[in-house]
């Protein structure tokens, strides 16, 4: 079933994949609208799809015993939960490096995650898995969520992890980040006088509750340092926010 879905997705995308060619007028229009961006990659970039599958934590009994100050439980093989025996104080002013160091020292495969967000209202700290400096955006199957109490102590966490990560099919040239910005502008997602930054990662495009994932190179477009938008870097398609998480969780 997983192989069939991968094939169907690739075939569907290939049939509609027409190059989005930037026109000088598009770039000039962004300037007139006061939309600013810099430090975008100018050189051509080629990437592959990636395939991956969910980790079976039941095979890691020995490693789990080595984790200090916590009691762990495996849920349906693919989700690990941990409760800290002694509460760990969370400092909201901690640097990204400090938070990732904590994860590396206290969570199984913690070195393979990067900080994503701290939600004061929900009392959570979220990290997503990454590979070759590219994050798996909004991926519920490659994620660590640390839960805080009312006094900002870390009390527990949930973890999922992707394994068997391999390149799939041949490399293809990506559309430039500037084209992703233009696509979002015409889609009505970027307002005038916005400041834009961009980075490259991966998004799960196989939107089905299967064990396998098909990860597509994706531009993360950050608007005014607050709003995250995502665009398929192969075909320029705007990705609806949180679609993957709603389907898979």
């Amino acid at each position: 079933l997983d192989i069939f879905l991968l094939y169907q997705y690739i075939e569907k995308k290939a049939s509609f994949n027409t190059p989005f060619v930037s026109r000088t007028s598009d770039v000039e229009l962004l300037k007139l609208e006061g939309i600013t961006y810099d430090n975008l990659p100018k050189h051509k970039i080629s990437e592959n799809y990636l395939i991956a599958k969910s980790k079976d934590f039941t095979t890691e009994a020995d490693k789990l015993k080595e984790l200090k100050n916590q009691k762990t439980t495996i849920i349906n093989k693919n989700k690990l939960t941990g409760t800290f025996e002694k509460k760990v104080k969370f400092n909201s002013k901690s640097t990204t490096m400090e938070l990732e160091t904590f994860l590396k020292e206290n969570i199984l495969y913690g070195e393979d995650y990067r900080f994503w967000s701290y939600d004061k209202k929900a009392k959570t700290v979220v990290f997503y898995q990454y590979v070759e400096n590219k994050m798996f955006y909004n991926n519920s199957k490659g994620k660590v969520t640390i839960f805080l109490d009312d006094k900002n102590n870390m009390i527990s966490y949930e973890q999922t992890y992707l394994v068997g990560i391999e390149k799939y099919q041949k490399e293809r040239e990506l559309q430039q980040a500037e084209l992703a910005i233009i696509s979002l502008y015409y889609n009505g997602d970027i307002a005038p006088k916005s400041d834009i930054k961009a980075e490259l990662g991966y998004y799960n495009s196989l939107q089905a509750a299967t064990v396998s994932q098909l990860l597509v190179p994706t531009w993360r477009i950050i608007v005014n340092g607050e709003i995250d938008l995502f665009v398929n870097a192969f075909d320029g398609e705007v990705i609806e926010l949180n679609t993957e998480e709603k389907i898979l969780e």
Side-chain angles (χ1 to χ4, degrees):
L1 175 61
D2 290 348
I3 294 172
F4 173 75
L5 289 170
L6 289 171
Y7 176 78
Q8 290 283 14
Y9 175 83
I10 295 292
E11 288 296 301
K12 180 180 178 182
K13 299 302 287 186
S15 65
F16 291 100
N17 188 16
T18 55
F20 185 96
V21 181
S22 176
R23 300 186 301 274
T24 302
S25 58
D26 292 324
V27 177
E28 290 301 320
L29 179 58
L30 294 183
K31 291 181 180 178
L32 289 172
E33 291 280 33
I35 297 172
T36 59
Y37 52 90
D38 53 20
N39 298 323
L40 300 183
K42 299 295 183 182
H43 58 284
K44 294 181 179 179
I45 304 174
S46 294
E47 293 286 348
N48 300 77
Y49 285 103
L50 298 181
I51 55 174
K53 60 183 180 180
S54 293
K55 173 70 178 178
D56 181 351
F57 286 107
T58 61
T59 64
E60 301 290 1
D62 292 339
K63 290 184 179 179
L64 292 176
K65 290 178 182 178
E66 297 175 3
L67 295 175
K68 299 178 180 179
N69 186 38
Q70 57 186 274
K71 181 179 180 180
T72 59
T73 303
I74 298 171
I75 301 175
N76 296 329
K77 297 194 301 184
N78 303 132
K79 179 180 286 188
L80 180 69
T81 65
T83 302
F84 296 114
E85 295 175 347
K86 293 182 179 179
K87 297 177 181 179
V88 182
K89 189 66 178 179
F90 171 74
N91 183 356
S92 60
K93 296 182 180 179
S94 295
T95 65
T96 296
M97 183 177 293
E98 289 172 336
L99 293 173
E100 291 172 357
T101 297
F102 173 83
L103 216 67
K104 181 177 180 180
E105 294 175 350
N106 294 275
I107 305 295
L108 195 65
Y109 306 114
E111 67 275 10
D112 293 335
Y113 297 85
R114 288 291 178 266
F115 173 74
W116 175 255
S117 66
Y118 160 54
D119 189 323
K120 184 177 181 179
K121 184 176 180 180
K123 299 187 183 303
T124 58
V125 186
V126 173
F127 301 78
Y128 284 117
Q129 200 172 335
Y130 85 113
V131 64
E132 296 180 353
N133 292 319
K134 298 180 184 68
M135 183 177 285
F136 297 165
Y137 300 130
N138 280 31
N139 199 314
S140 62
K141 302 304 180 184
K143 178 180 181 182
V144 171
T145 303
I146 297 178
F147 299 97
L148 311 175
D149 64 13
D150 292 336
K151 295 183 179 179
N152 252 22
N153 294 308
M154 302 185 200
I155 54 174
S156 62
Y157 68 89
E158 289 183 353
Q159 178 183 10
T160 53
Y161 186 66
L162 290 169
V163 296
I165 300 169
E166 298 179 356
K167 294 181 179 180
Y168 184 70
Q169 293 198 333
K170 64 181 180 180
E171 281 191 355
R172 293 169 54 187
E173 186 176 325
L174 304 184
Q175 294 188 2
Q176 293 184 344
E178 188 174 60
L179 299 185
I181 296 170
I182 292 170
S183 293
L184 289 166
Y185 171 77
Y186 281 117
N187 199 51
D189 295 319
I190 297 179
K193 298 182 180 180
S194 294
D195 180 61
I196 307 296
K197 297 186 184 301
E199 63 179 42
L200 186 63
Y202 292 94
Y203 206 96
N204 178 27
S205 293
L206 187 61
Q207 297 179 357
T210 62
V211 174
S212 296
Q213 291 203 358
L214 178 66
L215 301 162
V216 63
T218 298
W219 288 113
R220 174 194 178 194
I221 305 301
I222 308 162
V223 183
N224 298 324
E226 297 178 347
I227 301 172
D228 292 303
L229 304 171
F230 302 95
V231 177
N232 185 315
F234 279 149
D235 60 22
E237 179 183 4
V238 176
I239 299 172
E240 292 297 325
L241 293 178
N242 296 324
T243 297
E244 189 257 0
E245 296 229 3
K246 288 179 181 177
I247 292 175
L248 294 182
E249 286 195 331

